[in-house]
């Protein structure tokens, strides 16, 4: 009798994303919103929606939240000022 090959489950790990830290949400006199974020090296970046920082895209900025997305993994994260 022939033995059937044993099958092992394949484990796919999600990539670890170094999400930036939200420092502040800034509003200019004309109402334009920007976010100040710190990357993993603690460098401060002032970004607008559509900008990339630390390998992720700033998807949206509101008065209370910043939404970041990682295109490679499809993951997103919402950051709020505490």
């Amino acid at each position: 009798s022939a033995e059937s090959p044993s099958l092992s489950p394949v484990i796919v790990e999600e990539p670890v994303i170094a999400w930036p830290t939200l420092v502040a949400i800034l509003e200019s006199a004309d109402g334009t919103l920007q976010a100040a974020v710190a990357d993993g090296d603690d460098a401060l970046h002032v970004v607008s929606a559509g900008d990339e920082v630390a390998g992720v895209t700033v998807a949206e900025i509101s008065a209370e939240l910043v939404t970041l997305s990682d295109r490679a993994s499809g993951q997103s994260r919402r950051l709020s000022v505490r």
Side-chain angles (χ1 to χ4, degrees):
S1 86
E3 289 185 33
S4 61
S6 63
L7 298 176
S8 299
V10 176
I11 299 171
V12 178
E13 293 186 26
E14 291 289 328
V16 176
I17 300 168
W19 297 102
T21 304
L22 180 61
V23 176
I25 295 175
L26 313 168
E27 184 174 2
S28 64
D30 68 358
T32 303
L33 295 174
Q34 291 184 302
V37 296
D39 63 19
D41 295 325
D42 289 332
L44 188 64
H45 304 269
V46 177
V47 294
S48 300
D51 290 348
E52 285 197 18
V53 63
V56 298
T57 301
V58 180
E60 183 180 2
I61 302 173
S62 71
E64 298 173 0
L65 294 171
V66 174
T67 304
L68 303 173
S69 65
D70 178 65
R71 290 184 195 176
S73 69
Q75 295 181 48
S76 64
R77 178 163 290 178
R78 290 179 150 188
L79 307 176
S80 62
V81 178
R82 297 182 189 254

